[in-house]
Amino acid sequence: MGFDTSGLLPLSDALQGMLEQLACCCDSEQLPLPEALGRVLASDIASPLAVPPFDNSAMDGYAVRLSDLASGTPLIMAGKAFAGQPYQGEWPAGHCVRIMTGAPVPEGTDAVVMQEETQADGDRITFLAQPEPGQNIRRAGSDIGKGACVLTAGTRLTPREMPLLASLGVATVAVRRPLKVAIFSTGDELKPVGTPLAHGDIYDSNRYGVRAMLARMGCNCLDLGIIPDDPAQLRAAFIRADEEADVLITTGGVSVGEADFTKQLLDELGEIGFWKLAIKPGKPFAFGRLPRAWFFGLPGNPVSAMVTFDQLVQPALAKLAGQRFERPLQLQAIAAEPLKKSPGRLDFQRGILSQGPNGLEVRSTGSQDSAVFSSLSRANCYIVLERERGRVATGETVTVEPFGGLLL
Ligand code: AMP
Ligand code: MG
């Protein structure tokens, strides 16, 4: 394109610069386990129990002592052990105990022989194979030792953690309160859905994207709607957001031409930096703080707003919320068609990743203009093209990032 890209800020520097300034701002509270779904653990969880809590059988079969099997004669069944109903009788020499999966193994058991490896003739049980010591016994603490750390602070609770915590008897957990995030869109041209458009108007789409992503992150959202390009109204909205929320996220009004307008206001209210990021889409971006709240100003172009939220704001919000954050995996794929690219910015092109005959392959969703929202809705991954890379030819290897939690 020929414009000077040397003064642009790399994404990783921008991210690091923000994260260095941010710390968790959410207090913790104790919640009953079912209500804690989606919340972030405020402290490590050490197991109050061993799991399993006692030696138990992994199979339906017979508990045996190896010394009784040495002679090769059948054993007499002394009784039965069920899950929840341990065998409590005597266990004389030459006997075995019928045992079901999950039942505690009787004292002295060397192994459990699965039913399929035995023949029963009334109470006389013949063992067809010699068991190994410890066979089919799940030892106490073999899954989780008592006192072991099972989950660390910063883990966001998903359906996967619920049964784990329940298995430990954890009834309540210390979790962070949700981060409170105020949002508004700026622009005289924006109208809310459900109202007619005059010539020159467009529907405000960014707020719906940002709200949806905040919901996915478990944040509480204070939606301040659309604020026209009017200093007095903008000022009032900034002040309200600062008073009521931990974070303010706006879209629009940070690009050249408009930046001065917002900048003046924000310089007066707080400390804000306007950045030109070396990424595409999403060049203009603002970050800083109001008297109380942190501020993120996303570009107005819809795709840029989504991508900068995903790549930059998401990790920042996670840190404020006390949540450990990991980016989705990046994979290598073959470009199934040429991809347009000029050196100078890290590109997050929108792609469709599929399984081809020779492994993963990826195609572009078409126009990569940051105003073309359909390019994002048809995509299932980013094609991440390095800053200095130029045009990609068919067959070249590229990095792809399948859409993760926020965009799926
Ligand atoms: P701006 O960053 O305010 O200069 O806006 C850049 C482009 O994005 C313009 O075409 C705007 O009309 C458009 N835009 C800004 N905000 C929104 C929004 N909330 N929804 C849809 N388009 C927007
Ligand atoms: Mg605008």
Side-chain angles (χ1 to χ4, degrees):
M1 281 214 246
F3 64 78
D4 177 22
T5 57
S6 56
L8 299 182
L9 185 64
L11 177 68
S12 52
D13 292 3
L15 190 54
Q16 201 190 331
M18 288 195 310
L19 294 178
E20 274 169 10
Q21 298 183 54
L22 303 176
C24 174
C25 65
C26 297
D27 300 337
S28 65
E29 59 182 326
Q30 200 75 21
L31 283 187
L33 185 59
E35 288 171 34
L37 180 66
R39 294 290 199 94
V40 175
L41 285 180
S43 49
D44 292 355
I45 295 198
S47 180
L49 304 174
V51 179
F54 47 85
D55 291 356
N56 70 95
S57 178
M59 291 284 175
D60 290 343
Y62 295 90
V64 297
R65 286 176 299 228
L66 293 180
S67 57
D68 289 328
L69 286 178
S71 68
T73 52
L75 302 184
I76 308 300
M77 188 171 74
K80 294 181 180 176
F82 295 93
Q85 293 174 32
Y87 175 68
Q88 276 156 347
E90 290 289 302
W91 187 1
H95 287 64
C96 60
V97 175
R98 176 91 172 110
I99 192 164
M100 304 302 164
T101 305
V105 299
E107 184 75 35
T109 301
D110 292 318
V112 170
V113 180
M114 64 193 281
Q115 193 167 301
E116 292 82 345
E117 291 173 353
T118 64
Q119 268 172 2
D121 176 11
D123 277 359
R124 287 164 60 86
I125 314 299
T126 304
F127 293 84
L128 306 176
Q130 182 69 20
E132 297 291 324
Q135 183 176 304
N136 297 325
I137 299 176
R138 299 184 203 140
R139 293 292 174 194
S142 57
D143 181 359
I144 301 168
K146 186 171 179 182
C149 177
V150 281
L151 293 172
T152 52
T155 303
R156 178 140 184 243
L157 297 177
T158 70
R160 283 178 289 142
E161 283 77 35
M162 291 294 165
L164 172 64
L165 292 172
S167 75
L168 306 178
V170 172
T172 66
V173 279
V175 290
R176 302 269 169 210
R177 71 160 172 85
L179 192 67
K180 187 161 182 194
V181 183
I183 63 171
F184 63 81
S185 300
T186 66
D188 287 339
E189 75 281 26
L190 303 176
K191 292 288 172 299
V193 297
T195 58
L197 294 180
H199 181 59
D201 289 348
I202 58 171
Y203 285 117
D204 169 15
S205 55
N206 290 346
R207 214 157 30 95
Y208 298 86
V210 171
R211 269 184 79 143
M213 291 190 288
L214 290 172
R216 277 286 157 89
M217 289 197 72
C219 298
N220 282 348
C221 180
L222 172 66
D223 188 343
L224 299 178
I226 299 165
I227 310 294
D229 295 311
D230 165 65
Q233 290 190 56
L234 277 170
R235 194 169 197 284
F238 278 115
I239 290 168
R240 173 154 181 223
D242 185 48
E243 281 168 357
E244 294 186 29
D246 305 304
V247 175
L248 169 63
I249 300 174
T250 65
T251 68
V254 291
S255 53
V256 181
E258 282 183 308
D260 285 350
F261 192 46
T262 333
K263 189 174 190 306
Q264 219 177 338
L265 203 57
L266 288 169
D267 279 347
E268 174 205 329
L269 294 173
E271 266 179 63
I272 315 289
F274 285 78
W275 297 346
K276 289 190 165 56
L277 301 175
I279 64 169
K280 192 180 175 203
K283 192 169 59 159
F285 184 83
F287 167 69
R289 73 172 312 160
L290 297 165
R292 290 182 55 257
W294 292 98
F295 172 73
F296 300 90
L298 307 183
N301 270 316
V303 182
S304 309
M306 294 291 276
V307 172
T308 48
F309 187 109
D310 185 37
Q311 293 290 327
L312 275 168
V313 179
Q314 180 184 200
L317 295 186
K319 187 150 186 205
L320 290 169
Q323 186 190 342
R324 190 172 54 254
F325 177 74
E326 282 148 28
R327 278 230 69 84
L329 288 180
Q330 292 194 333
L331 309 170
Q332 301 298 303
I334 304 296
E337 60 186 18
L339 302 170
K340 286 188 198 152
K341 162 92 168 72
S342 14
R345 293 201 264 165
L346 175 67
D347 264 25
F348 289 93
Q349 300 202 3
R350 278 73 68 207
I352 301 169
L353 182 66
S354 62
Q355 188 70 46
N358 302 312
L360 293 178
E361 51 184 51
V362 68
R363 289 180 168 72
S364 169
T365 52
S367 170
Q368 295 293 315
D369 189 300
S370 58
V372 177
F373 208 78
S374 56
S375 77
L376 188 56
S377 79
R378 278 199 305 276
N380 63 7
C381 71
Y382 292 119
I383 310 172
V384 186
L385 299 177
E386 301 76 4
R387 185 168 174 179
E388 293 318 327
R389 196 162 181 174
R391 194 183 150 78
V392 175
T394 304
E396 280 184 40
T397 299
V398 293
T399 299
V400 294
E401 187 178 305
F403 288 156
L406 269 197
L407 295 177
L408 267 189

